[in-house]
Amino acid sequence: MEEINRCSWARDDVLMQQYHDREWGVPLTDSRALWEKLMLDGFQAGLSWRIILKKREALRQAFCGFEPTLVAAFTAEDIERLVVNSEIIRSRSKIIAVVNNARAFLRMQAAGEDFSAWIWSRIGGKPIQHLGPIPTSSPLSTQISKELKQRGFSFVGPVIVYAWMEATGLINSHHPDCFRRSVG
């Protein structure tokens, strides 16, 4: 059986392989799905992506399927309930950021700014084809981070934004020999 060439981070772990092969780097254009991935990348800060994948379904349940309208209505009591939920990442600051970011997402919508159209316009409407060593951030992720913060988002620093851009196919960072390089 022929060996499949993957990005090095996805070679030795079945869960990471499945994520790499099916999701990572596939261009997303759905605003809600893009927002969910940004929230998950915020949860990942300081942790491994494998942890997020293992807790993703519990996070989806805890945050009402990452439906911004529902999450924006969370109260202080909801936040306290989530902080003690052992099924999810219980970082108070990350939980509060998700609620805050749902409200920021809805403010963008109310102002007539579609989240997907906004982010894709920042990169010219098509994935950036990255080659060479993978940085943890870039001038572009720094600029997008700044713009998100200006819109009221939090927990969206340049490193989180860069990882999110890779995960959602805004930047194609698949290794040139990876079978997923031609995604999108």
Side-chain angles (χ1 to χ4, degrees):
M1 183 170 191
E2 188 176 329
E3 177 87 15
I4 295 174
N5 284 329
R6 290 184 176 90
C7 295
S8 61
W9 59 265
R11 289 186 184 142
D12 299 325
D13 181 286
V14 173
L15 185 61
M16 295 297 280
Q17 286 176 0
Q18 290 171 347
Y19 175 66
H20 171 274
D21 294 358
R22 297 177 187 155
E23 294 179 62
W24 191 78
V26 175
L28 275 181
T29 57
D30 176 79
S31 289
R32 194 221 50 83
L34 282 161
W35 181 77
E36 174 183 345
K37 287 264 192 168
L38 182 57
M39 298 307 97
L40 291 172
D41 269 300
F43 272 114
Q44 189 265 333
L47 303 171
S48 74
W49 189 250
R50 188 174 202 294
I51 291 170
I52 302 306
L53 290 176
K54 288 177 78 173
K55 293 188 176 272
R56 181 165 51 173
E57 286 310 312
L59 286 162
R60 284 177 171 157
Q61 286 181 7
F63 287 96
C64 304
F66 285 100
E67 179 55 50
T69 305
L70 299 175
V71 176
F74 280 18
T75 64
E77 291 79 23
D78 293 315
I79 291 168
E80 292 308 314
R81 176 181 47 80
L82 294 173
V83 167
V84 298
N85 181 343
S86 64
E87 300 297 314
I88 68 169
I89 288 97
R90 297 181 287 179
S91 165
R92 181 180 300 276
S93 60
K94 291 176 182 182
I95 291 167
I96 290 169
V98 172
V99 175
N100 174 63
N101 293 344
R103 294 171 183 159
F105 178 93
L106 293 176
R107 283 192 301 273
M108 284 179 73
Q109 273 189 340
E113 196 168 31
D114 178 73
F115 193 67
S116 177
W118 174 79
I119 189 57
W120 281 98
S121 74
R122 296 300 172 270
I123 63 163
K126 62 182 181 173
I128 295 167
Q129 300 301 312
H130 182 83
L131 292 172
I134 307 297
T136 56
S137 66
S138 69
L140 180 59
S141 73
T142 299
Q143 180 59 39
I144 291 170
S145 168
K146 181 179 175 183
E147 291 179 29
L148 285 166
K149 289 175 183 177
Q150 289 170 343
R151 285 166 173 75
F153 284 78
S154 57
F155 237 91
V156 290
V159 173
I160 290 170
V161 168
Y162 195 86
W164 170 64
M165 291 174 72
E166 289 179 301
T168 59
L170 295 158
I171 298 173
N172 183 353
S173 292
H174 283 284
H175 188 276
D177 294 333
C178 176
F179 84 102
R180 297 291 288 170
R181 178 66 190 184
S182 64
V183 170

